[in-house]
Amino acid sequence: MVEIKKIQVEETYPIRHHILRPHQSFDACKYETDHLETTFHIGAFIEKKLVSIASFSIEVHPDLPGYRHYRLRAMATLLEYLRNHIGKSIVVSAEAELKSKHIDYLWV
């Protein structure tokens, strides 16, 4: 069973580094929006092990209408857990959060 919940940004860094930026420094996994009050991070856990992460921050996309936009960034799943719809579960959870904030668009 997958448990989806908000996590601290520091919990995202090992998976970001391992999956998204393995040939770069660990610091390359840290984004300037990570610690903003409006940014949030979601993790998926299987048997208490963090297996997938995603970060969501305010960022207006110039080609979309409205002005309340969030960007999905740094989404990654450990390779051995791919094809289990874990990423979809994270996005569905984030969409619920963003709907409660009356956000116009979530973009990638």
Side-chain angles (χ1 to χ4, degrees), residues 74-94:
M75 185 170 195
T77 301
L78 295 176
L79 297 177
E80 58 268 31
Y81 295 94
L82 291 176
R83 296 194 168 92
N84 290 307
H85 306 286
I86 296 170
K88 179 181 178 179
S89 297
I90 286 176
V91 171
V92 167
S93 176

Side-chain angles (χ1 to χ4, degrees), residues 26-69:
F26 192 80
D27 284 341
C29 298
K30 300 175 182 178
Y31 304 130
E32 60 186 50
T33 57
D34 279 344
H35 292 282
L36 296 177
E37 189 175 312
T38 53
T39 297
F40 64 97
H41 312 276
I42 296 179
F45 294 80
I46 294 180
E47 297 179 7
K48 299 184 180 184
K49 178 181 179 179
L50 181 61
V51 300
S52 186
I53 52 94
S55 298
F56 301 85
S57 58
I58 289 177
E59 186 174 337
V60 174
H61 190 290
D63 297 328
L64 295 173
Y67 59 91
R68 293 181 310 255
H69 303 172

Side-chain angles (χ1 to χ4, degrees), residues 6 40 68 70 92-104:
K6 285 187 176 180
F40 64 97
R68 293 181 310 255
Y70 260 75
V92 167
S93 176
E95 286 175 332
E97 170 88 13
L98 296 172
K99 282 180 185 178
S100 74
K101 296 175 185 258
H102 306 288
I103 299 304
D104 295 322

